[in-house]
Amino acid sequence: MKTSKQIRNLAQGAVIAALYAVLTYVAAAANLAYGPVQFRFSEALTVLPVFTPTAIPGLTLGCLLSNLASPLGMVDWVFGTAATLLAAIGTRAAAKVEWNGIPVLAPLPPVLANTVIVGLEVACLSDAGAFAWSNFSWAAFGAGALSVGLGEFAVCYVLGLPLLLALRRTGAADKIFANH
């Protein structure tokens, strides 16, 4: 029985990773996935750790796969993926904080993690697109963090929270993520 549960968890994580990557590439086709203005539809999935811990590695792997196409290259592979990992862990922890039965803080960790970490990445870019700490300025960080943060807030709360509520209301979360 334990092997069956492990296979189910692995499959769930893989499906989440694939969905995240595909949705990010859709956003990239509209020039919304990378850079100072981001509106990754995939970030709506960051609410899934509310239902299952398997979403944490799934989202992290999906982000890594997505960031392989990032113009920031290895910097985004490491820091962008780390932001998603921290966000997913934070979402899982915030799931317990509810208001009227709604985990209103669950979408917040992705907003905060991406605002700070991706905002820092954007602030360290040169005009030529090269990453260097010497390029950092507080003004660039503020502008990048605000831009990324607003996009992340919109996706996580306008798309992610309704997704979470729909999965709960329809009972789909119980069927999809049973045994967690």
Side-chain angles (χ1 to χ4, degrees):
M1 279 299 181
K2 186 173 183 174
T3 303
S4 174
K5 184 176 180 181
Q6 290 171 332
I7 291 169
R8 180 184 174 98
N9 289 347
L10 183 61
Q12 284 178 353
V15 168
I16 291 168
L19 284 170
Y20 186 100
V22 167
L23 289 171
T24 299
Y25 290 136
V26 169
N31 203 26
L32 296 172
Y34 309 108
V37 177
Q38 294 189 9
F39 195 84
R40 287 187 179 191
F41 314 117
S42 53
E43 288 293 304
L45 301 176
T46 60
V47 298
L48 295 180
V50 167
F51 303 112
T52 178
T54 62
I56 296 170
L59 291 168
T60 304
L61 178 60
C63 182
L64 175 62
L65 294 172
S66 301
N67 287 346
L68 293 176
S70 172
L72 295 178
M74 290 180 62
V75 171
D76 214 13
W77 302 352
V78 174
F79 292 103
T81 303
T84 296
L85 174 61
L86 293 173
I89 292 168
T91 296
R92 183 82 178 154
K96 295 168 182 58
V97 180
E98 294 188 352
W99 180 70
N100 288 339
I102 300 170
V104 293
L105 295 182
L108 190 58
V111 174
L112 297 176
N114 283 287
T115 296
V116 173
I117 296 172
V118 178
L120 183 61
E121 283 183 64
V122 171
C124 290
L125 284 178
S126 70
D127 292 336
F131 182 88
W133 291 109
S134 60
N135 294 327
F136 178 83
S137 76
W138 284 106
F141 173 73
L146 181 64
S147 175
V148 170
L150 288 174
E152 190 74 13
F153 184 87
V155 172
C156 291
Y157 276 95
V158 175
L159 299 178
L161 192 56
L163 172 64
L164 182 152
L165 296 174
L167 288 171
R168 263 196 184 168
R169 185 174 37 253
T170 63
D174 294 335
K175 293 174 188 160
I176 296 168
F177 304 115
N179 299 323
H180 287 285

